[in-house]
Amino acid sequence: MRDLLRDLPVFAQQLPDFDPQDVPGDPFALFRQWLTAAIDAGAVEPHAVHLATVDADGRPDLRVVILRDVDATGWQVATSARSAKGRQLAGNPYAALNFHWREQARQVRVRGVAEPADAATNREDFLSRSPGSRIAGLAGRQSDVLTDRAELDREFARQRERVAADPELANPDHVRYTVVPETVEFWQGDPERRHTRLRYRRTGEGWTRELLWP
């Protein structure tokens, strides 16, 4: 396995340029530029993001979720309050996000506090999801032990009927979180491992930009 992994190519593709001196004053504008570039470059599911949380024992947990939005407040993701990540965020709101666009050897790392939205915003966010996503959300019990696959099929069928009968049916456990950043790092890979790392660090009402060693 070690030889197999060692022989895999890294940074073999043509990589974009990144001048850390020519960047916006805040990380949100630069993120929008990088996300747009990832979409234009054909990145697969560029809105997929790793969300890291910690449990009650301080042990880290990680999964991939879909970015719902980003604005001048922060990055928005959503889940059920009853899910493992929902319970973990209720106990410890500190979270981290990591976007990875391998086609461009780029990463964006966000660290901050996940703040839940109000009930009206949560409802609106849930109803804006695709029918399949709403059905899955209403089925609930995320991360619970499933002893019979047929039980899952029956529950999805039941929720599909409920959504068809009431298109405005919302899950009261659905929560949209905004990860309000304390730091945001933009990482550009380099074939010679001279990676460019630019960190935005919140200082008062503004941002300090810092270059980091690779």
Side-chain angles (χ1 to χ4, degrees):
M1 180 60 70
R2 180 182 177 185
D3 291 340
L4 175 64
L5 294 173
R6 187 168 50 200
D7 291 340
L8 292 174
V10 179
F11 306 134
Q13 70 275 34
Q14 183 70 34
L15 301 182
D17 294 327
F18 175 47
D19 181 359
Q21 303 301 320
D22 183 23
V23 295
D26 69 76
F28 310 108
L30 183 55
F31 177 82
R32 286 190 288 270
Q33 292 178 13
W34 276 33
L35 177 61
T36 301
I39 294 170
D40 292 342
V44 177
E45 296 180 348
H47 55 334
V49 56
H50 292 82
L51 167 64
T53 56
V54 294
D55 65 16
D57 297 319
R59 296 176 296 184
D61 207 348
L62 184 68
R63 75 288 288 166
V64 178
V65 297
I66 295 296
L67 180 69
R68 300 292 293 164
D69 199 0
V70 60
D71 56 24
T73 303
W75 283 257
Q76 298 168 9
V77 296
T79 189
S80 168
R82 295 178 180 270
S83 69
K85 51 187 173 294
R87 296 193 302 270
Q88 290 165 4
L89 289 173
N92 185 340
Y94 284 94
L97 301 173
N98 187 72
F99 294 87
H100 178 214
W101 299 308
R102 65 183 181 211
E103 293 85 355
Q104 299 172 300
R106 283 180 167 178
Q107 297 182 66
V108 179
R109 303 173 60 213
V110 180
R111 302 180 72 195
V113 174
E115 298 183 351
D118 57 49
T121 301
N122 291 334
R123 175 181 173 82
E124 179 184 2
D125 185 80
F126 184 82
L127 294 177
S128 71
R129 300 167 77 93
S130 68
S133 179
R134 281 182 283 145
I135 290 166
L138 287 165
R141 288 183 277 177
Q142 188 180 112
S143 299
D144 287 358
V145 175
L146 177 65
T147 58
D148 183 2
R149 180 76 184 188
E151 181 183 3
L152 175 67
D153 295 337
R154 288 192 297 269
E155 183 61 22
F156 268 59
R158 188 173 77 87
Q159 298 302 337
R160 189 174 295 109
E161 291 178 357
R162 294 183 68 199
V163 170
D166 182 6
E168 296 300 309
L169 181 64
N171 182 357
D173 295 325
H174 179 82
V175 180
R176 191 179 76 183
Y177 295 91
T178 298
V179 179
V180 180
E182 296 176 353
T183 62
V184 184
E185 179 187 327
F186 294 82
W187 185 97
Q188 173 66 66
D190 179 84
E192 298 180 357
R193 307 308 193 266
R194 298 174 66 255
H195 312 308
T196 300
R197 297 177 60 187
L198 173 67
R199 180 173 65 192
Y200 287 77
R201 181 167 50 85
R202 191 185 294 275
T203 51
E205 297 300 318
W207 295 92
T208 295
R209 298 192 297 274
E210 303 164 319
L211 284 176
L212 305 177
W213 278 78

